[in-house]
PDB file of all heavy atoms in Angstrom:
ATOM      1  N   PHE A  96       6.208  -9.168   0.791  1.00 95.00           N
ATOM      2  CA  PHE A  96       6.339 -10.513   1.435  1.00 95.00           C
ATOM      3  C   PHE A  96       5.683 -11.483   0.570  1.00 95.00           C
ATOM      4  O   PHE A  96       4.658 -11.240  -0.169  1.00 95.00           O
ATOM      5  CB  PHE A  96       5.567 -10.437   2.778  1.00 95.00           C
ATOM      6  CG  PHE A  96       6.183  -9.414   3.697  1.00 95.00           C
ATOM      7  CD1 PHE A  96       5.737  -8.143   3.864  1.00 95.00           C
ATOM      8  CD2 PHE A  96       7.281  -9.810   4.556  1.00 95.00           C
ATOM      9  CE1 PHE A  96       6.262  -7.271   4.777  1.00 95.00           C
ATOM     10  CE2 PHE A  96       7.862  -8.895   5.461  1.00 95.00           C
ATOM     11  CZ  PHE A  96       7.303  -7.582   5.518  1.00 95.00           C
ATOM     12  N   ASP A  97       6.225 -12.751   0.658  1.00 95.00           N
ATOM     13  CA  ASP A  97       5.537 -13.828  -0.135  1.00 95.00           C
ATOM     14  C   ASP A  97       4.136 -14.170   0.413  1.00 95.00           C
ATOM     15  O   ASP A  97       3.745 -13.717   1.485  1.00 95.00           O
ATOM     16  CB  ASP A  97       6.494 -14.986  -0.310  1.00 95.00           C
ATOM     17  CG  ASP A  97       6.619 -15.857   0.974  1.00 95.00           C
ATOM     18  OD1 ASP A  97       6.028 -15.483   2.022  1.00 95.00           O
ATOM     19  OD2 ASP A  97       7.341 -16.891   0.959  1.00 95.00           O
ATOM     20  N   LEU A  98       3.385 -14.923  -0.377  1.00 96.00           N
ATOM     21  CA  LEU A  98       2.041 -15.243  -0.003  1.00 96.00           C
ATOM     22  C   LEU A  98       1.920 -16.073   1.266  1.00 96.00           C
ATOM     23  O   LEU A  98       1.032 -15.806   2.130  1.00 96.00           O
ATOM     24  CB  LEU A  98       1.247 -15.986  -1.197  1.00 96.00           C
ATOM     25  CG  LEU A  98       0.894 -15.019  -2.335  1.00 96.00           C
ATOM     26  CD1 LEU A  98       0.309 -15.921  -3.467  1.00 96.00           C
ATOM     27  CD2 LEU A  98      -0.165 -14.032  -1.851  1.00 96.00           C
ATOM     28  N   PRO A  99       2.795 -17.084   1.464  1.00 97.00           N
ATOM     29  CA  PRO A  99       2.553 -17.792   2.749  1.00 97.00           C
ATOM     30  C   PRO A  99       2.846 -16.849   3.989  1.00 97.00           C
ATOM     31  O   PRO A  99       2.051 -16.898   4.992  1.00 97.00           O
ATOM     32  CB  PRO A  99       3.802 -18.816   2.742  1.00 97.00           C
ATOM     33  CG  PRO A  99       3.919 -19.075   1.245  1.00 97.00           C
ATOM     34  CD  PRO A  99       3.728 -17.745   0.617  1.00 97.00           C
ATOM     35  N   THR A 100       3.745 -15.906   3.936  1.00 97.00           N
ATOM     36  CA  THR A 100       3.935 -14.904   4.989  1.00 97.00           C
ATOM     37  C   THR A 100       2.664 -14.038   5.102  1.00 97.00           C
ATOM     38  O   THR A 100       2.246 -13.797   6.278  1.00 97.00           O
ATOM     39  CB  THR A 100       5.208 -14.040   4.640  1.00 97.00           C
ATOM     40  OG1 THR A 100       6.338 -14.876   4.551  1.00 97.00           O
ATOM     41  CG2 THR A 100       5.392 -13.033   5.783  1.00 97.00           C
ATOM     42  N   GLN A 101       2.067 -13.715   4.032  1.00 97.00           N
ATOM     43  CA  GLN A 101       0.907 -12.814   4.039  1.00 97.00           C
ATOM     44  C   GLN A 101      -0.333 -13.483   4.770  1.00 97.00           C
ATOM     45  O   GLN A 101      -1.094 -12.829   5.318  1.00 97.00           O
ATOM     46  CB  GLN A 101       0.546 -12.395   2.614  1.00 97.00           C
ATOM     47  CG  GLN A 101       1.513 -11.418   2.003  1.00 97.00           C
ATOM     48  CD  GLN A 101       1.115 -10.999   0.650  1.00 97.00           C
ATOM     49  OE1 GLN A 101      -0.040 -10.564   0.439  1.00 97.00           O
ATOM     50  NE2 GLN A 101       2.008 -11.053  -0.325  1.00 97.00           N
ATOM     51  N   ILE A 102      -0.418 -14.797   4.583  1.00 97.00           N
ATOM     52  CA  ILE A 102      -1.557 -15.449   5.146  1.00 97.00           C
ATOM     53  C   ILE A 102      -1.242 -16.385   6.360  1.00 97.00           C
ATOM     54  O   ILE A 102      -1.970 -17.286   6.700  1.00 97.00           O
ATOM     55  CB  ILE A 102      -2.343 -16.195   4.087  1.00 97.00           C
ATOM     56  CG1 ILE A 102      -1.477 -17.212   3.314  1.00 97.00           C
ATOM     57  CG2 ILE A 102      -3.050 -15.270   3.129  1.00 97.00           C
ATOM     58  CD1 ILE A 102      -2.196 -18.021   2.279  1.00 97.00           C
ATOM     59  N   GLY A 103      -0.111 -16.138   6.934  1.00 98.00           N
ATOM     60  CA  GLY A 103       0.188 -16.789   8.216  1.00 98.00           C
ATOM     61  C   GLY A 103       0.660 -18.181   8.172  1.00 98.00           C
ATOM     62  O   GLY A 103       0.356 -18.958   9.063  1.00 98.00           O
ATOM     63  N   TYR A 104       1.446 -18.544   7.154  1.00 98.00           N
ATOM     64  CA  TYR A 104       1.983 -19.942   7.098  1.00 98.00           C
ATOM     65  C   TYR A 104       3.475 -19.883   6.995  1.00 98.00           C
ATOM     66  O   TYR A 104       4.009 -19.067   6.274  1.00 98.00           O
ATOM     67  CB  TYR A 104       1.484 -20.706   5.835  1.00 98.00           C
ATOM     68  CG  TYR A 104      -0.067 -20.997   5.858  1.00 98.00           C
ATOM     69  CD1 TYR A 104      -0.869 -20.554   4.828  1.00 98.00           C
ATOM     70  CD2 TYR A 104      -0.578 -21.757   6.865  1.00 98.00           C
ATOM     71  CE1 TYR A 104      -2.212 -20.843   4.893  1.00 98.00           C
ATOM     72  CE2 TYR A 104      -1.941 -21.944   6.914  1.00 98.00           C
ATOM     73  CZ  TYR A 104      -2.772 -21.501   5.950  1.00 98.00           C
ATOM     74  OH  TYR A 104      -4.141 -21.771   5.987  1.00 98.00           O
ATOM     75  N   ASP A 105       4.124 -20.767   7.791  1.00 98.00           N
ATOM     76  CA  ASP A 105       5.634 -20.860   7.639  1.00 98.00           C
ATOM     77  C   ASP A 105       5.961 -21.490   6.297  1.00 98.00           C
ATOM     78  O   ASP A 105       5.112 -22.150   5.693  1.00 98.00           O
ATOM     79  CB  ASP A 105       6.153 -21.646   8.825  1.00 98.00           C
ATOM     80  CG  ASP A 105       6.073 -20.890  10.180  1.00 98.00           C
ATOM     81  OD1 ASP A 105       6.085 -19.648  10.136  1.00 98.00           O
ATOM     82  OD2 ASP A 105       5.944 -21.573  11.166  1.00 98.00           O
ATOM     83  N   SER A 106       7.214 -21.383   5.944  1.00 97.00           N
ATOM     84  CA  SER A 106       7.639 -21.912   4.662  1.00 97.00           C
ATOM     85  C   SER A 106       7.565 -23.401   4.548  1.00 97.00           C
ATOM     86  O   SER A 106       7.474 -23.952   3.417  1.00 97.00           O
ATOM     87  CB  SER A 106       9.072 -21.415   4.310  1.00 97.00           C
ATOM     88  OG  SER A 106       9.116 -20.051   4.189  1.00 97.00           O
ATOM     89  N   ASP A 107       7.542 -24.052   5.648  1.00 96.00           N
ATOM     90  CA  ASP A 107       7.460 -25.603   5.646  1.00 96.00           C
ATOM     91  C   ASP A 107       6.095 -26.072   5.673  1.00 96.00           C
ATOM     92  O   ASP A 107       5.867 -27.297   5.617  1.00 96.00           O
ATOM     93  CB  ASP A 107       8.353 -26.168   6.779  1.00 96.00           C
ATOM     94  CG  ASP A 107       7.799 -25.744   8.132  1.00 96.00           C
ATOM     95  OD1 ASP A 107       6.873 -24.874   8.209  1.00 96.00           O
ATOM     96  OD2 ASP A 107       8.336 -26.253   9.170  1.00 96.00           O
ATOM     97  N   HIS A 108       5.010 -25.233   5.725  1.00 97.00           N
ATOM     98  CA  HIS A 108       3.691 -25.658   5.684  1.00 97.00           C
ATOM     99  C   HIS A 108       3.289 -26.200   4.261  1.00 97.00           C
ATOM    100  O   HIS A 108       3.828 -25.739   3.235  1.00 97.00           O
ATOM    101  CB  HIS A 108       2.740 -24.423   6.051  1.00 97.00           C
ATOM    102  CG  HIS A 108       1.325 -24.816   6.380  1.00 97.00           C
ATOM    103  ND1 HIS A 108       0.406 -25.263   5.395  1.00 97.00           N
ATOM    104  CD2 HIS A 108       0.716 -24.922   7.542  1.00 97.00           C
ATOM    105  CE1 HIS A 108      -0.720 -25.500   6.030  1.00 97.00           C
ATOM    106  NE2 HIS A 108      -0.610 -25.326   7.287  1.00 97.00           N
ATOM    107  N   GLU A 109       2.444 -27.185   4.222  1.00 96.00           N
ATOM    108  CA  GLU A 109       2.127 -27.887   2.972  1.00 96.00           C
ATOM    109  C   GLU A 109       1.474 -26.883   2.019  1.00 96.00           C
ATOM    110  O   GLU A 109       1.641 -26.993   0.811  1.00 96.00           O
ATOM    111  CB  GLU A 109       1.243 -29.126   3.216  1.00 96.00           C
ATOM    112  CG  GLU A 109      -0.119 -28.775   3.867  1.00 96.00           C
ATOM    113  CD  GLU A 109      -0.933 -30.063   4.064  1.00 96.00           C
ATOM    114  OE1 GLU A 109      -0.479 -31.093   3.698  1.00 96.00           O
ATOM    115  OE2 GLU A 109      -2.102 -29.821   4.583  1.00 96.00           O
ATOM    116  N   LEU A 110       0.740 -25.910   2.509  1.00 95.00           N
ATOM    117  CA  LEU A 110       0.070 -24.935   1.614  1.00 95.00           C
ATOM    118  C   LEU A 110       1.043 -23.881   1.108  1.00 95.00           C
ATOM    119  O   LEU A 110       0.697 -23.120   0.154  1.00 95.00           O
ATOM    120  CB  LEU A 110      -1.041 -24.215   2.335  1.00 95.00           C
ATOM    121  CG  LEU A 110      -2.266 -25.115   2.793  1.00 95.00           C
ATOM    122  CD1 LEU A 110      -3.339 -24.254   3.550  1.00 95.00           C
ATOM    123  CD2 LEU A 110      -2.903 -25.702   1.505  1.00 95.00           C
ATOM    124  N   ALA A 111       2.236 -23.839   1.647  1.00 95.00           N
ATOM    125  CA  ALA A 111       3.246 -22.957   1.075  1.00 95.00           C
ATOM    126  C   ALA A 111       3.994 -23.457  -0.064  1.00 95.00           C
ATOM    127  O   ALA A 111       4.698 -22.721  -0.749  1.00 95.00           O
ATOM    128  CB  ALA A 111       4.235 -22.598   2.225  1.00 95.00           C
ATOM    129  N   ASP A 112       3.848 -24.744  -0.345  1.00 93.00           N
ATOM    130  CA  ASP A 112       4.599 -25.373  -1.515  1.00 93.00           C
ATOM    131  C   ASP A 112       4.347 -24.664  -2.823  1.00 93.00           C
ATOM    132  O   ASP A 112       3.205 -24.413  -3.183  1.00 93.00           O
ATOM    133  CB  ASP A 112       4.167 -26.819  -1.623  1.00 93.00           C
ATOM    134  CG  ASP A 112       5.043 -27.593  -2.589  1.00 93.00           C
ATOM    135  OD1 ASP A 112       6.164 -27.139  -2.861  1.00 93.00           O
ATOM    136  OD2 ASP A 112       4.687 -28.668  -2.970  1.00 93.00           O
ATOM    137  N   GLY A 113       5.367 -24.238  -3.455  1.00 92.00           N
ATOM    138  CA  GLY A 113       5.242 -23.568  -4.797  1.00 92.00           C
ATOM    139  C   GLY A 113       5.168 -22.041  -4.667  1.00 92.00           C
ATOM    140  O   GLY A 113       5.224 -21.392  -5.718  1.00 92.00           O
ATOM    141  N   GLU A 114       5.062 -21.499  -3.461  1.00 93.00           N
ATOM    142  CA  GLU A 114       4.807 -20.087  -3.306  1.00 93.00           C
ATOM    143  C   GLU A 114       5.918 -19.459  -2.528  1.00 93.00           C
ATOM    144  O   GLU A 114       5.906 -18.174  -2.367  1.00 93.00           O
ATOM    145  CB  GLU A 114       3.484 -19.825  -2.609  1.00 93.00           C
ATOM    146  CG  GLU A 114       2.267 -20.177  -3.534  1.00 93.00           C
ATOM    147  CD  GLU A 114       2.126 -19.232  -4.725  1.00 93.00           C
ATOM    148  OE1 GLU A 114       2.796 -18.126  -4.772  1.00 93.00           O
ATOM    149  OE2 GLU A 114       1.396 -19.580  -5.626  1.00 93.00           O
ATOM    150  N   VAL A 115       6.842 -20.149  -1.896  1.00 94.00           N
ATOM    151  CA  VAL A 115       7.895 -19.595  -1.011  1.00 94.00           C
ATOM    152  C   VAL A 115       8.819 -18.649  -1.807  1.00 94.00           C
ATOM    153  O   VAL A 115       9.406 -19.073  -2.770  1.00 94.00           O
ATOM    154  CB  VAL A 115       8.635 -20.669  -0.328  1.00 94.00           C
ATOM    155  CG1 VAL A 115       9.736 -19.995   0.591  1.00 94.00           C
ATOM    156  CG2 VAL A 115       7.734 -21.547   0.554  1.00 94.00           C
ATOM    157  N   GLY A 116       8.829 -17.338  -1.454  1.00 92.00           N
ATOM    158  CA  GLY A 116       9.723 -16.398  -2.063  1.00 92.00           C
ATOM    159  C   GLY A 116       9.296 -15.903  -3.404  1.00 92.00           C
ATOM    160  O   GLY A 116      10.152 -15.218  -4.036  1.00 92.00           O
ATOM    161  N   LYS A 117       8.112 -16.287  -3.897  1.00 89.00           N
ATOM    162  CA  LYS A 117       7.780 -15.977  -5.274  1.00 89.00           C
ATOM    163  C   LYS A 117       7.364 -14.506  -5.478  1.00 89.00           C
ATOM    164  O   LYS A 117       7.899 -13.850  -6.394  1.00 89.00           O
ATOM    165  CB  LYS A 117       6.639 -16.890  -5.725  1.00 89.00           C
ATOM    166  CG  LYS A 117       7.184 -18.365  -5.975  1.00 89.00           C
ATOM    167  CD  LYS A 117       8.243 -18.473  -7.068  1.00 89.00           C
ATOM    168  CE  LYS A 117       8.795 -19.880  -7.219  1.00 89.00           C
ATOM    169  NZ  LYS A 117       7.787 -20.782  -7.795  1.00 89.00           N
ATOM    170  N   VAL A 118       6.430 -14.054  -4.704  1.00 87.00           N
ATOM    171  CA  VAL A 118       5.976 -12.639  -4.962  1.00 87.00           C
ATOM    172  C   VAL A 118       6.521 -11.640  -3.905  1.00 87.00           C
ATOM    173  O   VAL A 118       6.104 -10.513  -3.886  1.00 87.00           O
ATOM    174  CB  VAL A 118       4.473 -12.592  -5.030  1.00 87.00           C
ATOM    175  CG1 VAL A 118       3.819 -13.351  -6.188  1.00 87.00           C
ATOM    176  CG2 VAL A 118       3.778 -12.989  -3.690  1.00 87.00           C
ATOM    177  N   GLY A 119       7.418 -12.157  -3.081  1.00 91.00           N
ATOM    178  CA  GLY A 119       8.011 -11.339  -2.005  1.00 91.00           C
ATOM    179  C   GLY A 119       8.903 -12.273  -1.209  1.00 91.00           C
ATOM    180  O   GLY A 119       9.145 -13.446  -1.555  1.00 91.00           O
ATOM    181  N   VAL A 120       9.469 -11.734  -0.151  1.00 95.00           N
ATOM    182  CA  VAL A 120      10.381 -12.376   0.635  1.00 95.00           C
ATOM    183  C   VAL A 120       9.699 -13.297   1.636  1.00 95.00           C
ATOM    184  O   VAL A 120       8.679 -12.961   2.221  1.00 95.00           O
ATOM    185  CB  VAL A 120      11.368 -11.426   1.278  1.00 95.00           C
ATOM    186  CG1 VAL A 120      10.617 -10.425   2.274  1.00 95.00           C
ATOM    187  CG2 VAL A 120      12.495 -12.110   2.129  1.00 95.00           C
ATOM    188  N   ALA A 121      10.277 -14.402   1.942  1.00 95.00           N
ATOM    189  CA  ALA A 121       9.780 -15.303   2.987  1.00 95.00           C
ATOM    190  C   ALA A 121      10.314 -14.980   4.330  1.00 95.00           C
ATOM    191  O   ALA A 121      11.525 -14.868   4.547  1.00 95.00           O
ATOM    192  CB  ALA A 121      10.152 -16.738   2.642  1.00 95.00           C
ATOM    193  N   ILE A 122       9.443 -14.579   5.271  1.00 97.00           N
ATOM    194  CA  ILE A 122       9.811 -14.295   6.632  1.00 97.00           C
ATOM    195  C   ILE A 122       9.058 -15.194   7.605  1.00 97.00           C
ATOM    196  O   ILE A 122       7.834 -15.104   7.773  1.00 97.00           O
ATOM    197  CB  ILE A 122       9.479 -12.765   6.929  1.00 97.00           C
ATOM    198  CG1 ILE A 122      10.154 -11.832   6.032  1.00 97.00           C
ATOM    199  CG2 ILE A 122       9.858 -12.438   8.428  1.00 97.00           C
ATOM    200  CD1 ILE A 122      11.659 -11.791   6.218  1.00 97.00           C
ATOM    201  N   ASP A 123       9.854 -16.111   8.206  1.00 98.00           N
ATOM    202  CA  ASP A 123       9.201 -17.090   9.101  1.00 98.00           C
ATOM    203  C   ASP A 123       9.408 -16.821  10.544  1.00 98.00           C
ATOM    204  O   ASP A 123       8.724 -17.276  11.481  1.00 98.00           O
ATOM    205  CB  ASP A 123       9.881 -18.518   8.820  1.00 98.00           C
ATOM    206  CG  ASP A 123       9.436 -18.995   7.454  1.00 98.00           C
ATOM    207  OD1 ASP A 123       8.280 -18.797   7.040  1.00 98.00           O
ATOM    208  OD2 ASP A 123      10.277 -19.594   6.787  1.00 98.00           O
TER     209      ASP A 123
END
Side-chain angles (χ1 to χ4, degrees):
F96 298 94
D97 72 358
L98 283 174
T100 302
Q101 291 181 47
I102 53 177
Y104 294 122
D105 290 333
S106 296
D107 60 356
H108 194 284
E109 61 181 0
L110 292 179
D112 190 17
E114 291 293 344
V115 177
K117 289 297 177 69
V118 299
V120 61
I122 300 293
D123 293 322

